[in-house]
């Protein structure tokens, strides 16, 4: 079978599962299209994760996508597929009308599967236009790659925890609370160097647990970079575990909160007079590590408005 699988969804999987039950050897050709929003390597990886028993291939270069582009359309595709496939195909499975002509070109039988989308009422175009609304139709492999993770990041007393909860409520999404606060409160503010490794491991484990549910969107209050900065600030050193976790954490986007809110004292806050310097270190870390970020400023509704605008941009496939 041939398709873009952009992204791989349950309609595709219904087609593939139908074919798997009826053939001895299944070939899946993932169309290599130059201007697609999802790279062919990623689409092939999804296919191999979901169907390790199938033979997944792609043509070495993009080919015409519609017969209107060239009168040689079917000649080009026939020769490309015959060169790509290592053996003669007995049957072609598809959910689109082009499959019948493709089967004739390959001198194979043709099986149309759920052309009316009755079993799985979704298309890749609909998914791309509204990924969040149709998330449940995605394959699990695609969900793991396409989840949008937003880290709310910055100095003390800038409203990170409040904004994280507000965003989660607005988008009806899960969130991971800051792990450090519970550790610091348990120590009554007397944090030790050994606690930094406990904090970064605990927070990372919570993020992993939240992601294992394959949500479309996840908000996270601070990350391992924050632990690095605080370890440097409080102890002048850091555990190698912190850098290890930083390398393992990959957020879609960061919301770096400015220090334009009044200081609010709390047992887990330490440096009321150094928020601007800490903000500069946060900004430096995001910049040198090549992270995607927006700086969020303003109070009340303006702060949440800026944050939601930044998140909305990341939700577009």
């Amino acid at each position: 079978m041939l398709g873009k699988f952009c992204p791989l969804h349950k309609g595709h999987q219904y087609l593939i599962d139908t074919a798997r039950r009826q053939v001895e050897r299944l070939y899946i050709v993932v169309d290599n299209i130059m201007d697609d929003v999802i790279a062919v390597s990623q689409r092939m990886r999804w296919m191999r994760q979901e169907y390790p028993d199938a033979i997944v291939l792609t043509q070495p270069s993009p080919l015409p996508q519609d017969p209107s582009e060239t009168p040689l359309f079917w000649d080009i595709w026939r020769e490309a597929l015959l060169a790509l496939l290592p053996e003669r195909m007995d049957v072609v499975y598809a959910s689109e009308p082009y499959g019948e002509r493709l089967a004739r070109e390959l001198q194979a039988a043709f099986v149309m599967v759920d052309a009316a989308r009755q079993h799985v009422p979704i298309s890749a175009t609909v998914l791309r236009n509204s990924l969040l609304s149709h998330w449940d139709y995605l394959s699990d492999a695609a969900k793991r790659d396409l989840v949008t993770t937003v880290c709310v990041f910055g100095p003390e007393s800038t409203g990170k925890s409040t904004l994280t909860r507000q965003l989660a409520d607005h988008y009806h999404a899960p969130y991971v609370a800051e792990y450090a606060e519970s550790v610091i409160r348990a120590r009554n503010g007397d944090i030790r160097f050994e606690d930094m490794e406990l904090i970064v491991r605990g927070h990372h484990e919570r993020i992993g647990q939240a992601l294992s549910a394959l949500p479309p969107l996840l908000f996270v209050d601070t990350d391992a970079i924050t632990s690095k900065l605080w370890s440097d600030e409080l102890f002048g050193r850091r555990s190698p575990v912190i850098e290890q976790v930083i390398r393992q954490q990959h957020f879609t986007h960061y919301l770096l909160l400015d220090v334009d809110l009044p200081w609010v004292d709390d047992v887990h806050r330490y440096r009321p007079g150094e928020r601007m310097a800490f903000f500069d270190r946060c900004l430096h870390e995001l910049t040198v590590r090549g992270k995607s970020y927006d700086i969020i400023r303003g109070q009340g509704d303006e702060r949440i408005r800026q944050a939601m605008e930044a998140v909305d941009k990341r939700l577009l496939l």
Side-chain angles (χ1 to χ4, degrees):
M1 65 183 57
L2 166 70
K4 299 183 184 72
F5 310 108
C6 185
L8 178 61
H9 59 67
K10 290 181 179 178
H12 297 136
Q13 292 185 287
Y14 181 82
L15 168 66
I16 296 167
D17 290 339
T18 299
R20 285 172 82 198
R21 291 192 296 268
Q22 300 176 12
V23 301
E24 293 181 6
R25 192 156 46 252
L26 177 63
Y27 287 88
I28 303 173
V29 178
V30 180
D31 191 5
N32 181 0
I33 38 183
M34 184 182 301
D35 61 348
D36 215 337
V37 292
I38 303 174
V40 66
S41 58
Q42 188 174 31
R43 290 178 280 130
M44 291 180 72
R45 185 171 68 251
W46 293 341
M47 198 66 74
R48 286 170 175 156
Q49 288 174 0
E50 297 284 0
Y51 300 101
D53 55 332
I55 301 167
V56 181
L57 304 170
T58 188
Q59 74 271 21
S61 59
L63 299 178
Q65 294 297 300
D66 190 89
S68 63
E69 297 177 42
T70 170
L72 300 176
F73 177 85
W74 289 109
D75 294 330
I76 292 171
W77 269 102
R78 182 185 63 250
E79 296 308 314
L81 290 175
L82 289 175
L84 179 66
L85 296 165
E87 59 183 323
R88 180 182 175 278
M89 297 297 104
D90 297 307
V91 60
V92 170
Y93 288 79
S95 296
E96 301 284 352
Y98 74 81
E100 184 174 9
R101 176 64 185 269
L102 180 63
R104 289 206 309 268
E105 295 293 333
L106 297 178
Q107 297 183 353
F110 173 60
V111 175
M112 176 69 84
V113 179
D114 197 24
R117 305 288 195 274
Q118 292 180 334
H119 290 277
V120 186
I122 196 64
S123 71
T125 301
V126 170
L127 260 170
R128 289 194 301 272
N129 289 337
S130 186
L131 193 63
L132 205 61
S133 300
H134 300 95
W135 182 259
D136 288 342
Y137 283 108
L138 279 174
S139 69
D140 286 355
K143 285 178 181 178
R144 282 189 285 271
D145 277 358
L146 296 179
V147 57
T148 298
T149 50
V150 178
C151 180
V152 183
F153 183 73
E156 298 178 287
S157 196
T158 53
K160 295 187 297 296
S161 298
T162 298
L163 184 60
T164 301
R165 290 192 296 268
Q166 288 175 325
L167 290 169
D169 287 345
H170 175 78
Y171 290 98
H172 306 289
Y175 73 94
V176 176
E178 181 186 20
Y179 191 81
E181 181 177 355
S182 60
V183 176
I184 295 169
R185 287 189 182 280
R187 302 269 190 251
N188 197 29
D190 186 21
I191 193 170
R192 304 170 302 187
F193 175 73
E194 293 75 17
D195 293 327
M196 299 307 298
E197 186 173 319
L198 173 66
I199 288 168
V200 77
R201 286 187 186 276
H203 197 52
H204 188 56
E205 182 178 334
R206 282 186 178 178
I207 294 170
Q209 290 171 349
L211 288 173
S212 68
L214 302 178
L217 177 61
L218 176 68
F219 293 98
V220 178
D221 182 356
T222 73
D223 76 336
I225 296 175
T226 307
S227 298
K228 168 189 180 295
L229 293 172
W230 275 114
S231 190
D232 291 347
E233 176 80 13
L234 297 175
F235 307 107
R237 59 193 177 111
R238 76 188 77 110
S239 163
V241 170
I242 294 179
E243 281 293 344
Q244 177 185 332
V245 173
I246 290 173
R247 289 192 296 271
Q248 293 171 349
Q249 286 185 356
H250 303 286
F251 295 101
T252 308
H253 196 64
Y254 282 79
L255 302 179
L256 172 57
L257 305 195
D258 204 351
V259 295
D260 53 351
L261 294 184
W263 172 267
V264 177
D265 199 11
D266 205 334
V267 68
H268 70 290
R269 292 175 179 159
Y270 295 93
R271 300 286 193 270
E274 299 178 22
R275 287 193 298 166
M276 193 66 237
F278 197 91
F279 174 90
D280 291 339
R281 288 196 286 276
C282 289
L283 182 59
H284 175 75
E285 287 287 337
L286 295 179
T287 302
V288 299
R289 294 177 187 274
K291 303 297 185 181
S292 171
Y293 68 89
D294 278 298
I295 297 174
I296 305 301
R297 299 184 171 95
Q299 300 188 22
D301 291 343
E302 176 59 20
R303 208 172 189 81
I304 186 67
R305 185 196 66 78
Q306 287 187 20
M308 289 190 298
E309 186 176 287
V311 172
D312 286 345
K313 291 178 182 176
R314 308 301 148 186
L315 293 176
L316 299 177
L317 187 62

